[in-house]
Amino acid sequence: MKSPLIACAAVLLMLGATSAADAKGCIKGAVVGGVAGHYAGHHGVLGAAAGCLYGRHQAKEQEKQQQQQSQVNGQGKL
């Protein structure tokens, strides 16, 4: 009985410790990964974690690409 309560408390503490800025791409990836993981063998939590990591990676790559495009566009104008 204590194990599930301790696990829930740990999850809530971890969620409370994250900031909103770090969640860019994570929420969408976690939802998609959780659903995929659930249907792929009842591993929704594992899928959500992997989806969050992948979504965050994609968001960083997209942000980096946008920064490069803005630098190229900014240098081309006189």
Side-chain angles (χ1 to χ4, degrees):
M1 180 89 178
K2 287 184 181 180
S3 258
L5 292 176
I6 292 172
C8 287
V11 168
L12 289 174
L13 286 173
M14 287 171 46
L15 288 175
T18 61
S19 66
D22 291 338
K24 193 174 200 179
C26 181
I27 303 299
K28 183 177 178 182
V31 169
V32 173
V35 170
H38 173 73
Y39 284 111
H42 300 289
H43 296 291
V45 175
L46 185 60
C52 177
L53 291 173
Y54 180 74
R56 182 67 190 131
H57 171 73
Q58 287 297 103
K60 282 185 178 180
E61 290 294 320
Q62 187 176 19
E63 184 179 322
K64 194 183 302 183
Q65 186 179 20
Q66 287 175 353
Q67 286 178 351
Q68 288 175 351
Q69 286 178 351
S70 68
Q71 287 176 352
V72 168
N73 291 339
Q75 290 175 355
K77 294 182 179 179
L78 290 176

